[in-house]
Amino acid sequence: MRLAPDLDDAMVREQVERLCRSGEFVRSPRAAELLRFVVEEALAGRALILSQRRIAEQVYGQGEEFDPTCDPIVRMQAGRIRRDLEHYYLTAGKEDPVAISLPKGGYAPKIERNARFEANAASKRVPPVLLV
């Protein structure tokens, strides 16, 4: 995963911490831990190897015996995170500079500029008009 040229690791980590302090994630420390893990893995270039098994081992302390077909913990938590991120960016985070999502079908996060932040910043750059 490559970040947009105008984003850097520090901005992304700052956004993750902002998310983890939000109401959506304060109530679920495990969700915050999972979000931090997948973002750090993506920043380290390991997004393509994120799997249920790897997450279960690294985040939830599951061992070799973990069977994702019998234990849905990772899938369920990922679904919750998807909903929480969507809610966050519709409310408190609608003007945050960085948007992080967890697309369905995998565990690699999508990290990009928040379109609403960009639109708001552009509207602030419009020079004032002097009417005579």
Side-chain angles (χ1 to χ4, degrees):
M1 178 202 76
R2 291 183 158 266
L3 292 178
D6 56 343
L7 293 179
D8 61 33
D9 290 5
M11 291 174 70
V12 173
R13 287 185 178 104
E14 182 179 317
Q15 182 64 32
V16 169
E17 292 312 310
R18 189 177 298 118
L19 284 160
C20 291
R21 289 189 306 267
S22 72
E24 289 83 2
F25 289 91
V26 166
R27 291 185 298 268
S28 178
R30 282 290 179 101
E33 188 177 351
L34 176 54
L35 179 65
R36 281 187 183 104
F37 177 74
V38 297
V39 169
E40 284 300 325
E41 289 295 287
L43 292 176
R46 296 186 291 266
L48 295 178
I49 62 169
L50 282 168
S51 66
Q52 287 184 60
R53 181 174 303 282
R54 182 163 166 71
I55 292 168
E57 290 172 358
Q58 297 295 315
V59 177
Y60 298 107
Q62 299 289 327
E64 293 284 324
E65 74 284 350
F66 176 76
D67 182 357
T69 59
C70 296
D71 188 346
I73 189 168
V74 175
R75 284 190 312 275
M76 289 176 58
Q77 195 68 264
R80 178 182 180 169
I81 289 171
R82 288 180 184 106
R83 289 187 302 277
D84 287 349
L85 288 171
E86 185 176 328
H87 182 261
Y88 175 81
Y89 285 110
L90 288 173
T91 58
K94 63 184 170 191
E95 292 186 14
D96 285 2
V98 178
I100 299 173
S101 61
L102 196 59
K104 287 184 178 181
Y107 301 100
K110 181 177 179 185
I111 303 168
E112 60 191 350
R113 277 286 187 183
N114 186 349
R116 287 185 175 167
F117 174 81
E118 292 296 314
N120 190 28
S123 69
K124 289 179 181 176
R125 287 192 296 262
V126 175
V129 177
L130 178 63
L131 298 174
V132 187

